[in-house]
Amino acid sequence: MPINYINFEQAKEQSGLRMVVVPGIPSPWSEAAKGFFHVKNITWSAVRLDQRDKDMAVWTGTRSGPVVMFDKQAPQSHWQQILMLAETLGPTPELLPNEATARAKALALCEDICGESGLGWSGRLDGVHSGLNDQGGFPKPIAQYLGAKYGYDAGLAQSNSDRLVALLHKLAVCLKDQKKSGSRFYVGDTLSAVDIYSATFMAYFNPLEQSVCPMDSHMRAAFESNTAEVTEALDPILLAHRDFIYEGFLELPLSL
Ligand SMILES: N[C@@H](CCC(=O)N[C@@H](CS)C(=O)NCC(=O)O)C(=O)O
């Protein structure tokens, strides 16, 4: 079902579950949170992130998305807080295993994808670096904005790129190992948060086609632009897994 956006003053007055999301692009953290609520069949009200709106920033405590508000609880903007809240609000299906070793593995993979030196952050900084150096990536004004906001450092661009390639490789190896034991999922043989994060974060490297993921052409070009190193590291198994997760578990077309 397409998202029904409400304005933020209205959302503030409401109780229940509300989420501020990045509109118009398949922003990986926002799309993953939407995915959690979808698979758990939890209803929520959507608010478009407006980075310039001071009142919204006061309400959410940040100028990034997603931010989840539940009743009068404090806003949750970190990926792990949002995942844990989703697990509490919708106990089935569980998106993290209960068994300690499998749970630790799942959480470590989530951190590899969503954390501050993870796939998403490194991918974004790689796009910033390319944009600032006229080598594709984000359009320059967006690259400047994202670079200042998310800690771009030209001197660290190469190590950032190396980490990005290593993470893509690690995820592909994990899926290949799982395939050998007969599973199409990252952990065990059922869907977990790792699968949803991996599928949604692939948008930074290879967004779904325009018919199911409608984006402005400049942003699409930016999301589709990869360095040669990333293109090489983007193993087909990562995109096959993305398609499997979207087709089997998430909502298509994306509602942005
Ligand atoms: N708070 C998140 C990360 C949020 C984040 O990076 N959001 C980006 C997603 S593209 C965003 O809001 N971008 C738009 C902007 O910064 O204006 C976490 O670390 O768990």
Side-chain angles (χ1 to χ4, degrees):
M1 286 244 297
I3 286 186
N4 209 350
Y5 284 103
I6 59 174
N7 66 42
F8 119 82
E9 285 82 8
Q10 192 185 343
K12 248 170 97 174
E13 296 310 310
Q14 275 182 208
S15 57
L17 190 64
R18 294 138 295 159
M19 180 159 69
V20 176
V21 293
V22 181
I25 54 167
S27 165
W29 289 266
S30 292
E31 292 311 301
K34 289 180 195 173
F36 299 157
F37 298 142
H38 175 71
V39 298
K40 290 170 177 288
N41 205 14
I42 297 172
T43 51
W44 55 283
S45 297
V47 178
R48 287 188 179 84
L49 172 69
D50 179 354
Q51 295 91 334
R52 291 154 305 175
D53 188 328
K54 281 190 192 144
D55 294 337
M56 187 180 287
V58 169
W59 185 49
T60 60
T62 176
R63 289 182 192 266
S64 297
V67 190
V68 176
M69 261 76 47
F70 181 63
D71 286 344
K72 293 202 181 308
Q73 292 181 11
Q76 309 287 5
S77 57
H78 188 270
W79 66 264
Q80 193 164 352
Q81 296 170 328
I82 295 174
L83 170 58
M84 294 309 171
L85 180 64
E87 288 288 87
T88 307
L89 296 179
T92 54
E94 285 175 340
L95 292 177
L96 287 172
N98 277 316
E99 193 278 314
T101 308
R103 189 178 182 86
K105 179 184 174 189
L107 282 169
L109 285 167
C110 290
E111 174 69 23
D112 280 340
I113 298 171
C114 311
E116 291 211 4
S117 331
L119 191 75
W121 280 75
S122 304
R124 179 165 54 202
L125 291 178
D126 211 42
V128 166
H129 182 70
S130 298
L132 295 178
N133 290 284
D134 300 315
Q135 292 163 352
F138 291 109
K140 208 165 254 182
I142 296 180
Q144 283 162 342
Y145 161 75
L146 291 173
K149 189 169 177 181
Y150 294 107
Y152 171 71
D153 178 341
L156 298 176
Q158 186 58 50
S159 60
N160 180 70
S161 167
D162 293 346
R163 187 169 56 249
L164 175 55
V165 165
L167 285 167
L168 287 167
H169 183 64
K170 178 177 177 178
L171 293 174
V173 167
C174 184
L175 283 175
K176 286 176 185 173
D177 287 347
Q178 285 289 97
K179 191 175 175 184
K180 278 184 211 144
S181 46
S183 173
R184 299 181 76 180
F185 302 97
Y186 273 99
V187 182
D189 54 10
T190 52
L191 180 76
S192 75
V194 187
D195 297 298
I196 296 179
Y197 282 132
S198 179
T200 59
F201 276 67
M202 283 303 129
Y204 259 168
F205 311 102
N206 188 320
L208 292 167
E209 64 181 39
Q210 186 72 6
S211 61
V212 288
C213 178
M215 296 168 76
D216 163 85
S217 58
H218 295 100
M219 285 313 280
R220 173 167 285 280
F223 275 52
E224 284 177 348
S225 148
N226 293 309
T227 62
E229 290 88 339
V230 168
T231 302
E232 200 184 325
L234 206 55
D235 194 289
I237 200 166
L238 293 167
L239 301 179
H241 170 270
R242 172 200 65 184
D243 294 344
F244 166 60
I245 297 301
Y246 267 104
E247 281 159 21
F249 303 95
L250 301 178
E251 262 194 301
L252 286 173
L254 272 63
S255 180
L256 304 170

